[in-house]
Every structure is written in C-alpha cells, then in structure tokens.
Amino acid sequence: MAANHLTLYRERLRSAHEAVALIPSGAKIAMPLAAGQPPAVLAALAERARAGAIENVRLHYLLCTGIAGTSVFEHDLRDRIIPMSYFHGAVERALDKRRLAETLPAVDLVPCHFSQVPRSLVEHVGVDTLIATVSPMDSDGNFSLGISTDYSATVSRKPGIRLILEVNPNMPYVRGNCMIPVSSVTALVENDASLPALAPAPRSEVDDAIGAIIAGLVDDGDCLQMGIGALPDAVCAGLSQHRHLGIHTEMMTPGLAALIKAGMVDNSRKQTHLGRSIFTFALGDKPLYDFLNNNPDVEAHPVDYVNNPFVIAQNDRVVSVNATLQIDLNGACNSEFVNGRQFSATGGQVDFVRGAYASRGGRSIIACHATAAKGTLSRIVPTLTGPVTTPRNDIHIIVTEYGWANLKGKSVAERAKALIALAHPDFREGLDRAAHEAGFYAPA
C-alpha cells in the first residue's frame, strides 16, 4: 500500500462523534440500503440530535434495517432526523403503527424506480452527504462499497459531496464499479461490527409448487434476475438440473450464490460481463458475504447501471422473477400496498420487467400465491386496492400455484379469463361475475 494512501487515511480518521460533527443542521443525507448502513456513525448522529446539536436532517435511503431503526429513527427523534424512504420495510411499518396510534403522519415515501434513485438523490433531492459502511482500504487506496453498492456509488461521485465512511473489516471486498478513493473522503470511522443478516424465509408447499412451475420456464443458458423472498428461493432450488446460466440481478441472494457454487451458473452465454455474475446489493447470511469477498467471478455495479432496462436487455434470454401482492383482471400488479398502507415500494420490479422483456428471447415473470390471509382473500382481484406498481401493458407471464399465463397479445377479455383460471377455485365464480359486470365479456 502506497505511503501517500496511508497518510491520507490517517489524516481523515476520526471518532464517530467527530465525524458526525461535520454534518450541519438541515443536511440532506443519503445512506445505502441494508448492510451498508453504518452503525457507529448512525449511533453518534442520533446522540447528537438527542442533545439538540442538530435538527431538520433528512435521511434518504431504501430498505432500512434495525441499525437505523434503533438509532436515528427512534420515535423521539422524528422531528430532528426525518426518514425519507424509497422502500419501506419492517422498520417503517413499525414506525407507522406507532405514529398511527398517535395520529401522526406516516413515514414519508419517495415513489421511484430503483434504477432512477441515484438521479433522484443527486439531481432532484440534492443530497449533500453520504454515510456508508465500506471494506478496508486496498493497496490502490480504494474502499469497496461491497454488498451495498446500490445508489451509493453514484452519489459518492457527486462533486462536493461530504463523504463519511465507516470502515468495517466484515464488509466484503467486492470487485466491480463500486470503489471510493481515499482522496475523496471527508472523514473515516473505524468499527468492527457484524453485518445485518437476512434469515431465509420459510418455504411452503405453495412456494415450492410455484418454484417448480417457474423453473420449468427457464432454459439452459438463460440469464437470471431474482427478487427477494421464499418464492425466488424456491425457483433457485428448482434449477439444480440447469446448466450455463447467467446472473444479472439487482440482489445477490444465498439461492443464487448456491447455483454459482454448484456449477449451474457459469455466465458463459452472456453478452455483457462474460464469465461474471453482476449485482448491485446483497443481503443474506455470513456464508453469502464470505463467498462474495474478493471473488473474481462476481462484480457489484451502481443500480443506475445494473437496473437500467437498456443495459439489462443487452443480454439475451433474461428471465426476471419477482413477486406481487395483487393482480387485477387487466393484469396490473400492486406489489407495495397492504390494507391501505405502504408495505414496501416499487423497487426494481418495473426495471427488470421491462429490461427482461426487451432482451432477445427474454421473459418477465410475476408470481404470487393465489390467496392471502390464510386463504380468505384472493390475490387476483377485480380492482387493485393500492397503486399500480407494474402496469398491465408491461406484464408478460403470471404464475400462481395453479399454473401460468402469458398475457402478451391477449385482449382484456382474454386476460381476465386467463387470470381467473390461475385464481383459487373458491374465488373463480366471483371473479367471473365481476368480469361480466365490468363488461370484459358477456355471460356464457
């Protein structure tokens, strides 16, 4: 490691409290999603706000974890550090429950496709500070954003940005376009802390049934994108006999890593990044993080590249697999609202729905259980009870445990009939009646 890199490192080294003292009131801060959120910096920032030394700070992010939920987003700091969420999770849902009980406004959401979040932060919001966890510095004087490259890489390159990095030996050193040079850093904080882990969602028989259907729609040599949850995990489990698969995905999961380790993925038939699996963030367990550390076969890139539909479509035969919460009889999907409240957000679903379909031979798959609430509600509904996440014009293939349907080229009437056939039998008569009443087709 060059002496000048070490000199710069030492010059920028601060305690967490010294580092956050550089952040003024009124700051617009961005932090990475999930494992990239820096615990020591966030704890010090919360202490500073609680002491009344800082106020009116807006903190912009996707997918908060308990790291922020138990520090800067504590209920008593709500008027001093304001969460600006691009994607809700368990932390925001818990905050909303408490706020609702006190007749306070819910946590605010910035609607945005994941691919457009970097531009939103840099151009429209005008963030002035980035706080992030990074890997230790390499011999070239660079820190890797590791498993939380996401929008942070692009934000870190904004001219004049205030960069406060928490150096953590547990953050994997991931290769790719995810480096921050020490020369651009404002302050460094050292902290040895475990990274947040995501326990695998328990898979049900329904998940496995849907996974088997989707696995049957995947061919050798296809390029995969998988979302989060039990359904994508079930799909990965069903691909054990496939060969020469590729990966270009926003999220690297333990299921995808298992396919790489077992030899089903070799990225030999991709048109971009031949031989390498591409992602923008990872969330899973320690074995996943160990697998990604300094692995020459995987690369992390900014989300405005990975999730750009034009970039996605440069690979042939991209298969994207994502889950939804509701599908109406036109084929439109609500993937983010439950019981009239924000539950998650758009994320990268539309990015990959469009990118996969635009690729040569590509397929975009949206999957869901046919029912919710222990079988008392149909996920296929006459009308959505939340916003349209993925419009009907973009929908390609829908899968439930009752089969699959290709909606491309189908009329409204044909779509309704195809979707009703994918609903639970207990709800088909009511859905058919609703389709008649809506004028989709005449009664038989």
Side-chain angles (χ1 to χ4, degrees), residues 329 382 429-443:
L329 293 178
E429 183 178 348
L431 290 168
D432 191 61
R433 185 166 54 251
H436 291 161
E437 293 171 354
F440 290 166
Y441 49 79

Side-chain angles (χ1 to χ4, degrees), residues 153-176:
T154 303
V155 171
S156 74
R157 294 159 191 168
K158 177 188 176 184
I161 194 77
R162 183 184 298 110
L163 280 176
I164 298 177
L165 304 183
E166 188 167 312
V167 182
N168 187 340
N170 297 297
M171 173 60 81
Y173 179 87
V174 180
R175 305 182 186 204

